[in-house]
Amino acid sequence: MSTNPLQQLTEAGVSIWLDDLSRERIETGNLADLVQEKFVVGVTTNPAIFQAALADGERYDPQVRELAAAGADVDAATRAITTDDVREACKVMRPVFDATNGVDGRVSIEVSPGLAHDTDGTVAEAADLWKTVAEPNLFIKIPGTPEGWPAITETLANGMSVNVTLIFGLDQYRSVMEAYVDGLERAAENGHDLSSIHSVASFFVSRVDSEIDKRLEATTEGPGTDPALRGKAGVANARLAFQAYEQFFAGERWEALAAQGANTQRPLWASTGVKNPDYDDTMYVVDLAVENTVNTMPEKTLEAVADHGVVRGDRVRPFYDDAQAHMEALEEAGVDYDDVIAVLIKEGVDKFVVAWDELQSTLSESLEAARS
């Protein structure tokens, strides 16, 4: 038995992905090193990640100058820079993709966050991103909003692989899984090979604790004042999501698709960086270890797990009852779960819109400077 926590996670059936990307990581060989040394088998990006990379990265300067000279506007420049990074990352990850028959080795790129409530716009941009990056190990990230659900179905129906993002709630998650199966059924009707279509459902973890803890801390009387209720909702919610996953991908409807080579839509634990310094900085990884899942980690969390993570086997299936009991205790304490989820979805979209605007503002300034 390995003593390396990252290897132990891998052996437990958890795919370790990096929640970060920059041109520096690609060009210095850092990303390739993480694959070889840290068991990283996938990459996720989002507008905030690209905004941080561009703000700090001088490696983008030559391309910015070329784009400025060519007269590119900020939208075209943003598309060129982000898709170039993702395409090169796909090439780095391609050996993993080939070795795992397409399960891992994936790199995700997100549709513009301003399209989170625009079904037709999302479908069009997903197709354009797929064509522009033109690598088979790409995942198109589509928000799990009500307007995103039909876009997920349509994108899958056209044979593209999808990472559904910004999932916080159990009912929301069930709608995402429905959209996935609807998409596979239509893909089969359209003549696509279902075995080549993959998807993950990105279920956010730490933000659930942040929002619920905030509400508990504002409670002045009753069961909500019990400090033992804090810092446990994120893991409990995710455990119940995995239970929903196991229940959903069963029965005749799914078996008919599986017989055609369809892959289940793996749960992906996202937002796994611990935001409260009082909590174990590895808990959203080690406490959600279970086979057939993905855990996408910022590098700080990846290093924390490598240094002192304690992997104790399946930490999800044996705890379904505990998770349900905790969520019921929160309800008794006055926490409105549906309102928490609604707030988190809105905040999630808004944060990515802000990051995207900041990315474009930074790039606009860089283009202007390059033209002067």
Side-chain angles (χ1 to χ4, degrees):
M1 185 70 175
S2 170
T3 58
N4 183 325
L6 297 176
Q7 184 174 346
Q8 289 174 344
L9 276 174
T10 300
E11 291 169 350
V14 178
S15 293
I16 299 170
W17 291 9
L18 178 70
D19 193 27
D20 193 44
L21 184 65
S22 66
R23 191 155 298 180
E24 182 174 3
R25 283 196 189 278
I26 297 166
E27 293 183 348
T28 62
N30 170 264
L31 180 58
D33 288 344
L34 291 173
V35 173
Q36 294 297 319
E37 300 168 8
K38 301 293 186 181
F39 299 89
V40 169
V41 293
V43 176
T44 49
T45 69
N46 61 45
I49 284 170
F50 281 126
Q51 190 276 329
L54 198 69
D56 297 335
E58 295 179 357
R59 291 177 182 272
Y60 295 98
D61 291 350
Q63 185 176 15
V64 170
R65 288 193 291 270
E66 290 175 9
L67 290 164
D73 63 18
V74 68
D75 288 334
T78 303
R79 174 60 57 87
I81 287 171
T82 56
T83 55
D84 282 0
D85 273 6
V86 168
R87 185 183 306 107
E88 292 307 309
C90 281
K91 292 175 182 177
V92 174
M93 302 305 298
R94 182 62 186 268
V96 176
F97 174 81
D98 292 338
T100 61
N101 197 29
V103 173
D104 285 312
R106 297 280 178 170
V107 184
S108 298
I109 188 169
E110 191 158 343
V111 298
S112 301
L115 297 173
H117 303 296
D118 181 347
T119 300
D120 292 342
T122 296
V123 171
E125 182 155 321
D128 186 60
L129 287 169
W130 187 264
K131 180 180 178 180
T132 301
V133 175
E135 294 292 338
N137 50 332
L138 180 69
F139 264 148
I140 303 296
K141 286 181 82 171
I142 297 176
T145 58
E147 297 83 0
W149 302 337
I152 293 160
T153 296
E154 185 70 23
T155 301
L156 291 161
N158 292 326
M160 292 171 258
S161 293
V162 172
N163 175 346
V164 184
T165 188
L166 291 176
I167 306 171
F168 296 94
L170 297 174
D171 287 343
Q172 179 196 16
Y173 180 39
R174 292 185 185 97
S175 295
V176 166
M177 291 188 284
E178 286 282 355
Y180 175 62
V181 170
D182 288 346
L184 289 183
E185 289 172 342
R186 287 190 44 201
E189 293 170 1
N190 292 338
H192 292 290
D193 175 9
L194 297 190
S195 68
S196 70
I197 300 173
H198 287 259
S199 183
V200 292
S202 295
F203 202 90
F204 282 51
V205 186
S206 68
R207 294 189 194 180
V208 174
D209 273 332
S210 296
E211 179 63 24
I212 289 180
D213 281 1
K214 180 174 70 176
R215 297 181 183 213
L216 291 172
E217 287 161 7
T219 302
T220 57
E221 59 183 12
T225 59
D226 182 359
L229 286 178
R230 300 175 192 171
K232 298 175 182 176
V235 168
N237 195 42
R239 285 169 171 166
L240 293 177
F242 192 81
Q243 183 182 39
Y245 157 79
E246 290 197 308
Q247 292 168 344
F248 186 89
F249 289 100
E252 293 183 6
R253 186 185 183 196
W254 174 249
E255 288 171 3
L257 288 167
Q260 299 176 69
N263 306 284
T264 61
Q265 183 187 49
R266 289 189 296 170
L268 177 153
W269 310 132
S271 183
T272 57
V274 175
K275 295 176 173 57
N276 188 327
D278 294 334
Y279 298 159
D280 173 10
D281 59 357
T282 69
M283 69 180 193
Y284 298 132
V285 179
V286 298
D287 287 345
L288 290 175
V290 62
E291 64 182 344
N292 208 36
T293 57
V294 178
N295 197 303
T296 187
M297 312 176 205
E299 189 169 23
K300 183 179 179 181
T301 301
L302 181 73
E303 294 295 343
V305 175
D307 179 65
H308 53 267
V310 180
V311 180
R312 295 161 289 182
D314 184 345
R315 298 291 294 172
V316 174
R317 290 189 184 98
F319 300 95
Y320 290 155
D321 289 346
D322 290 345
Q324 184 62 43
H326 185 74
M327 301 311 287
E328 290 172 0
L330 289 173
E331 183 180 4
E332 292 171 5
V335 174
D336 184 337
Y337 178 82
D338 291 339
D339 185 66
V340 167
I341 300 308
V343 166
L344 288 173
I345 293 171
K346 183 181 185 303
E347 284 185 352
V349 172
D350 290 348
K351 286 178 180 179
F352 280 166
V353 168
V354 169
W356 189 257
D357 289 346
E358 290 177 353
L359 164 64
Q360 293 211 303
S361 176
T362 298
L363 188 51
S364 180
E365 292 173 3
S366 298
L367 288 168
E368 286 301 317
R371 291 188 181 110
S372 62

